Amino acid sequence: MSGICLVAVNPSKKIFVVTHDNFIRLYDLNSKTAVGEGLFEEHRGVIRTCFFTKCGKYLITAGDDKMVRFFNCETFECVCKCQVPKKITSCVYIENELKVVIGTKSGEIFTCQLQETTSSSSSSSTLSFANTPQLKFGHYSIITDMALSANQKILCTCDRDEKIRLTNCFPDLVEIQSYCLGHTEYVSRVCFHTI
């Protein structure tokens, strides 16, 4: 085991998640207890990214088994998943477009469109992937992290070759806005500063 450990917090649902390799544990902040025991046994490899959607409705996980999974935060069930050809290192969710952007160990960036359908007989909605992952662009080395600007218009990606790339999300991640060069070591994490 590699010992990869991640933590994600969902303030709207008062829960947080801890992952270790392919194991996921969910905690309720109100009762201070573990919940959803045994429900997250979906991944077959190390989980490398784990976060909640901004609306707090879904937990998104992805990793070495090449799968992106969406878990419902009410039922803790996997509601949809998609597979890419390479191991996943990072992903972000463009909520206003219902789109997942996926970075891989081979340096490729994929997108996958989701669709949310509401049943006419009930008020519940169903989430599913509308298409297979589409290759958008790539780096020459492993994607180490990705971040989305607060307005969800700029995607920041970084890699093991000391490069950071800023890409416009419209139209469909094809326009590189700029590069941030000058690092002497690989870039492990990126984020946008919010004021």
Side-chain angles (χ1 to χ4, degrees):
M1 295 279 187
S2 67
I4 301 289
C5 184
L6 303 168
V7 175
V9 178
N10 184 338
S12 66
K13 302 286 185 194
K14 302 284 191 233
I15 55 178
F16 76 97
V17 143
V18 176
T19 70
H20 185 267
D21 293 322
N22 68 335
F23 178 77
I24 301 173
R25 170 82 36 105
L26 186 70
Y27 294 93
D28 184 328
L29 294 173
N30 292 327
S31 66
K32 298 178 178 63
T33 59
V35 293
E37 193 69 37
L39 293 175
F40 298 106
E41 296 177 6
E42 295 272 335
H43 283 283
R44 301 291 177 242
V46 173
I47 298 167
R48 301 216 177 255
T49 186
C50 169
F51 59 94
F52 290 97
T53 57
K54 285 186 181 186
C55 67
K57 191 173 180 180
Y58 300 105
L59 169 69
I60 303 172
T61 61
D64 285 356
D65 61 358
K66 306 174 187 174
M67 298 292 285
V68 176
R69 290 181 169 81
F70 277 66
F71 292 95
N72 183 306
C73 288
E74 297 293 329
T75 63
F76 311 122
E77 293 177 0
C78 181
V79 292
C80 67
K81 57 187 170 184
C82 82
Q83 185 170 12
V84 294
K86 308 288 183 183
K87 291 181 179 181
I88 299 168
T89 57
S90 185
C91 73
V92 295
Y93 179 57
I94 304 175
E95 197 145 353
N96 57 3
E97 286 190 34
L98 290 174
K99 185 183 293 183
V100 178
V101 183
I102 305 160
T104 67
K105 281 195 172 186
S106 63
E108 298 168 329
I109 302 289
F110 293 88
T111 62
C112 197
Q113 189 68 46
L114 288 111
Q115 60 188 13
E116 195 165 25
T117 54
T118 305
S119 171
S120 59
S121 60
S122 69
S123 62
S124 65
S125 61
T126 307
L127 192 67
S128 62
F129 283 98
N131 62 357
T132 57
Q134 307 292 312
L135 179 62
K136 293 300 175 183
F137 66 89
H139 286 239
Y140 286 111
S141 67
I142 296 171
I143 300 295
T144 53
D145 197 23
M146 293 192 292
L148 195 60
S149 64
N151 64 5
Q152 299 190 347
K153 292 184 178 182
I154 303 291
L155 175 70
C156 181
T157 57
C158 61
D159 64 26
R160 298 253 333 171
D161 285 343
E162 303 94 32
K163 290 181 187 65
I164 298 173
R165 179 187 292 177
L166 298 171
T167 307
N168 288 326
C169 291
F170 304 102
D172 211 25
L173 294 170
V174 293
E175 181 185 321
I176 297 171
Q177 180 175 329
S178 63
Y179 288 94
C180 303
L181 305 174
H183 291 85
T184 57
E185 300 280 330
Y186 78 91
V187 182
S188 60
R189 292 283 179 244
V190 291
C191 68
F192 282 92
H193 176 72
T194 56
I195 298 174

